[in-house]
Amino acid sequence: MKQLEPPEIDAWRKLAASPTVREQQVAFTCATGVPLTLSPASAHALAEGTFCVKGCLGGHSGEACRHKLLLAEKRAVTGLAPVQYSCPSGLVKILVPVFIAGRHAGILLAGPMALHTLDAARLEQLTRRLDKAGLGGRAEQLQTTWRYTPQLSPAKCQAAETLLRMFGKYLEETGKQYLQEHTAPSSPLLKKIEAFLAGCQDGPVSLKQVAASVNLSPCHFCAVFKKQTGVTFSRYRVRQRLAKACELLADPERRVSDVAFESGFESIPYFNRAFRWQFGCSPTEYRRRLARHNPGQENRNPGVAQNRRVGFNN
């Protein structure tokens, strides 16, 4: 049975296929001369083969290309910033991570591009490097690849990275808006349930109580709820609690453990697992991303400050 994708990945796919985003993608290439690829985060893209990792040098150069790409993606997600890296042929690519509602949903991958000419010294250096990687005897393919690759000055490369940053922020905001529009309750049953739950925020609520509030047996309630919403009631409740946790994490003075309990989780390990499944990162990492988008945010709690310095490099 195929596992449902997280809603952020689904939002990314729909965005990437939309005419408006396609138009911006083409405009970037026309303006810079550099190809631009929009792919889901590697965990989803590699499973489908949507990354171009065949390798332009033949043989197993595609494996080396993929390895370089994955390392660059990890650095970009860890550093919350674009990364420039060189592919096995020595050409440059720019990778920009895109986060939708806190989850790493996709990447913008621009390139390849050349920042220098392929003179005799550089050709010899790259050829030696390829020999060490088990890709010897490829000087001719290397020259052909460089010949048909756009060359940018350092200033134009920096300008291209700036455009990619702006494009990434647009996708993040548009993706967040998409999620809000498409997860709004439309079912009368769901509206009644939310009204009941809103009045019971001070204590735990059982499934039996919720079912009784809409005059259904627990078994019938579960079946009707899944049919109308597409998710189980337990999964819906977890999403609700995680949404509240995200709001609480915006306060840098709250400890992550306090956020877990205040949002309705009775176990911190379960909270961490649920949060990572939903957003692709830990609560601490999510808080760091919030700080990135709100650089003026102050933190006056030394305990939380120490928490924030952990996260990505674990």
Side-chain angles (χ1 to χ4, degrees), residues 42-116:
S42 62
H44 300 270
L46 290 175
E48 305 165 358
T50 54
F51 279 149
C52 179
V53 291
K54 294 180 180 178
C56 60
L57 301 177
H60 62 277
S61 64
E63 297 173 18
C65 182
R66 178 161 75 171
H67 179 67
K68 287 262 190 179
L69 186 147
L70 290 175
L71 287 178
E73 184 183 28
K74 184 177 180 180
R75 283 169 51 207
V77 172
T78 300
L80 301 169
V83 165
Q84 285 188 29
Y85 74 99
S86 296
C87 63
S89 59
L91 296 167
V92 173
K93 294 182 180 180
I94 303 174
L95 189 150
V96 176
V98 177
F99 301 93
I100 296 179
R103 176 185 283 274
H104 175 216
I107 66 166
L108 301 175
L109 184 63
M113 67 190 86
L115 302 185
H116 311 278

Side-chain angles (χ1 to χ4, degrees), residues 72-284:
E73 184 183 28
K74 184 177 180 180
R75 283 169 51 207
V77 172
T78 300
L80 301 169
V83 165
Q84 285 188 29
Y85 74 99
S86 296
C87 63
S89 59
L91 296 167
V92 173
K93 294 182 180 180
I94 303 174
L95 189 150
V96 176
V98 177
F99 301 93
I100 296 179
R103 176 185 283 274
H104 175 216
I107 66 166
L108 301 175
L109 184 63
M113 67 190 86
L115 302 185
H116 311 278
T117 57
L118 185 64
D119 54 24
R122 185 164 282 107
L123 177 60
E124 183 180 354
Q125 179 188 30
L126 289 173
T127 301
R128 285 201 306 268
R129 189 186 301 169
L130 289 173
D131 286 341
K132 290 181 180 179
L135 295 168
R138 285 171 169 76
E140 186 176 341
Q141 294 101 312
L142 198 59
Q143 289 174 301
T144 301
T145 297
W146 276 70
R147 187 179 303 122
Y148 293 102
T149 297
Q151 183 174 342
L152 272 65
S153 66
K156 286 190 175 181
C157 180
Q158 188 60 45
E161 183 175 311
T162 299
L163 289 175
L164 290 170
R165 283 177 183 267
M166 295 169 64
F167 193 13
K169 286 193 176 295
Y170 166 79
L171 290 170
E172 289 181 358
E173 291 301 320
T174 308
K176 183 178 178 181
Q177 183 180 350
Y178 174 89
L179 285 180
Q180 291 173 344
E181 292 174 353
H182 288 76
T183 56
S186 56
S187 159
L189 173 66
L190 190 52
K191 289 179 180 177
K192 289 181 182 178
I193 293 168
E194 288 196 334
F196 175 76
L197 293 175
C200 304
Q201 291 182 351
D202 294 335
V205 182
S206 68
L207 172 63
K208 186 176 181 180
Q209 288 174 302
V210 178
S213 73
V214 289
N215 301 314
L216 293 174
S217 69
C219 184
H220 190 202
F221 169 80
C222 288
V224 172
F225 188 92
K226 177 70 181 293
K227 184 176 181 179
Q228 291 195 14
T229 64
V231 295
T232 63
F233 179 68
S234 60
R235 186 64 209 161
Y236 168 76
R237 286 291 277 154
V238 169
R239 286 184 181 176
Q240 271 198 326
R241 294 182 178 121
L242 289 173
K244 183 176 181 181
C246 288
E247 294 178 7
L248 297 176
L249 285 169
D251 178 0
E253 295 193 359
R254 272 192 169 91
R255 294 180 180 275
V256 172
S257 56
D258 293 337
V259 168
F261 295 125
E262 288 179 46
S263 55
F265 289 90
E266 298 179 359
S267 161
I268 293 177
Y270 177 64
F271 168 64
N272 288 331
R273 287 197 304 272
F275 199 99
R276 186 173 289 279
W277 186 93
Q278 179 70 19
F279 300 110
C281 65
S282 70
T284 301

